[in-house]
Amino acid sequence: MQIYTRKQSMSKLLIVGTVAFDAIETPFGKTDKIVGGAATYISIAASQFNVESGIVSVVGGDFPKDFLKQLNEKNIDTSGIEIIEDGKTFFWSGKYHNDLNVRDTLATDLNVLADFDPKVPEKFQNTDFLMLGNLHPSVQMAVIKQLPNRPKLVVLDTMNFWMDNTWDELMEVVAKVDVITINDEEARQMSGEYSLVKAANKIHKMGPRYVVIKKGEHGALLFENGNAFFAPALPLEEVFDPTGAGDTFAGGFIGHIANTKDISFENMKKAVISGSNLASFCVEKLGTERMINLTKKEMMNRLIEFKKLTQFDIELS
Ligand code: AMP
């Protein structure tokens, strides 16, 4: 007798965001243009999970095709990355202070992103999960509008650049998402509140049911109306380059949720830990270097460290 086992289908995860060149300056040194971008970091982090992911983005003819191949080798579909042969790839440059939580943006050259008209590949039009990584909010909105059915969960990441330059468009997108992940300074800017609890409450009112506030080396907070959860960042001996940590966090967060197909608050807590876990690797080397070579075993071992770091017993009497 033959026994047929039905393989559980893998979730589809569509990731929108920049695929970019970055030039980074830290107290330890300076780089020329290296590959970066929000969608790049998110997709590499999410590739640690059993998900079928694809990117929607745009690059110029100057972007290395070999890098796209490396993404394909990680099972990341790049057919939604448009290549404008006579255009230049989005370029960002940033400088970190001695306190690596603080950085200045030195340049943001939109280049091919300026007139990008995204097209969701047919294969991803019925995506289960949508991760709107950092990019122009009107591009994020155009992607939402192309999906015939609403995904199970829509997560948005954004930054001060879009708050400063495209506030109205950003608010339209924020109103449509389930989860927003932003850093503490951006949460303060967006809400006009210094207290992060008050900031989260105001942001809930703008649309997202879940608000995740990233605090760099001080961990991340998850808020749902009335519920809160805190995940620490793993204390590391050395941080080399924090670029991409926020996006890697987002990739680990949505990767865990897409893998487990569970959008409850309890599971979101695990997703926040998963995001913090992966972000702790990202910062250990320059650019995407550490994440590209990360193994599942390393990821699992560090999760054990996370568990030890946060577990305690106390008598409540
Ligand atoms: P993170 O360190 O996680 O905040 O993200 C850093 C990445 O975001 C870099 O690789 C940049 O290419 C990308 N980035 C920087 N500025 C922007 C922007 N305004 N829009 C989209 N992506 C950006």
Side-chain angles (χ1 to χ4, degrees):
M1 192 176 74
Q2 230 180 335
I3 299 171
Y4 292 96
T5 47
R6 211 171 143 240
K7 230 172 110 190
Q8 237 209 347
S9 65
M10 245 194 259
S11 293
K12 283 189 189 175
L13 168 63
L14 183 63
I15 299 161
V16 187
T18 43
V19 172
F21 282 130
D22 294 344
I24 301 158
E25 214 177 311
T26 72
F28 319 111
K30 224 173 148 172
T31 70
D32 270 337
K33 282 183 177 179
I34 57 168
V35 169
T40 311
Y41 283 104
I42 294 168
S43 62
I44 296 172
S47 74
Q48 289 291 337
F49 300 87
N50 212 15
V51 293
E52 200 182 333
S53 57
I55 300 178
V56 168
S57 192
V58 63
V59 293
D62 53 352
F63 193 80
K65 311 268 185 309
D66 275 359
F67 194 86
L68 297 180
K69 266 200 214 134
Q70 270 186 286
L71 295 180
N72 297 150
E73 279 158 18
K74 295 194 161 294
N75 267 332
I76 301 162
D77 186 308
T78 54
S79 62
I81 303 182
E82 191 182 339
I83 302 174
I84 309 229
E85 286 299 344
D86 58 352
K88 278 172 78 180
T89 299
F90 173 82
F91 171 70
W92 173 79
S93 154
K95 180 179 171 169
Y96 292 89
H97 295 222
N98 283 333
D99 171 356
L100 290 166
N101 274 334
V102 184
R103 83 175 169 205
D104 299 325
T105 288
L106 304 177
T108 303
D109 300 339
L110 295 179
N111 298 330
V112 288
L113 189 63
D115 324 292
F116 178 42
D117 179 17
K119 281 170 209 77
V120 177
E122 214 180 306
K123 185 174 163 195
F124 282 94
Q125 289 190 356
N126 61 347
T127 188
D128 303 294
F129 296 91
L130 175 62
M131 176 71 230
L132 297 169
N134 194 9
L135 164 139
H136 197 302
S138 64
V139 174
Q140 296 174 321
M141 184 58 105
V143 169
I144 294 178
K145 285 189 174 155
Q146 279 176 49
L147 304 180
N149 301 309
R150 195 180 193 283
K152 288 192 184 74
L153 196 78
V154 181
V155 182
L156 170 85
D157 189 35
T158 189
M159 72 184 292
N160 52 356
F161 181 83
W162 304 111
M163 293 180 202
D164 293 337
N165 296 299
T166 56
W167 177 259
D168 291 345
E169 289 109 307
L170 179 62
M171 283 304 110
E172 279 176 40
V173 181
V174 169
K176 291 211 170 300
V177 305
D178 304 297
V179 185
I180 182 168
T181 68
I182 56 178
N183 76 27
D184 43 2
E185 281 318 307
E186 290 154 1
R188 289 183 173 121
Q189 177 173 350
M190 196 162 167
S191 61
E193 294 287 352
Y194 187 80
S195 147
L196 293 180
V197 177
K198 285 189 181 165
N201 283 338
K202 273 210 176 160
I203 297 170
H204 282 315
K205 293 200 178 91
M206 298 173 186
R209 172 161 175 200
Y210 303 95
V211 176
V212 178
I213 301 183
K214 301 168 285 183
K215 290 162 60 66
E217 65 171 336
H218 305 299
L221 288 153
L222 165 68
F223 295 96
E224 185 201 20
N225 280 312
N227 283 324
F229 175 71
F230 171 68
L234 199 74
L236 296 170
E237 261 181 49
E238 261 172 334
V239 173
F240 193 68
D241 170 20
T243 308
D247 304 311
T248 300
F249 174 93
F253 177 87
I254 191 68
H256 172 83
I257 291 179
N259 187 27
T260 53
K261 304 178 180 168
D262 174 356
I263 58 169
S264 66
F265 185 73
E266 280 312 303
N267 196 43
M268 254 180 226
K269 290 183 188 175
K270 294 180 198 162
V272 171
I273 297 283
S274 161
S276 301
N277 185 36
L278 287 181
S280 78
F281 288 103
C282 175
V283 301
E284 287 181 342
K285 287 201 175 156
L286 191 65
T288 55
E289 199 184 330
R290 183 69 176 99
M291 290 308 294
I292 281 269
N293 296 308
L294 184 69
T295 64
K296 272 218 167 74
K297 188 154 185 252
E298 287 175 310
M299 177 174 90
M300 297 316 286
N301 283 343
R302 201 166 271 187
L303 267 183
I304 298 170
E305 284 183 56
F306 255 95
K307 221 173 164 184
K308 280 196 212 143
L309 181 72
T310 50
Q311 232 169 20
F312 64 92
D313 250 332
I314 193 165
E315 292 292 327
L316 295 172
S317 56

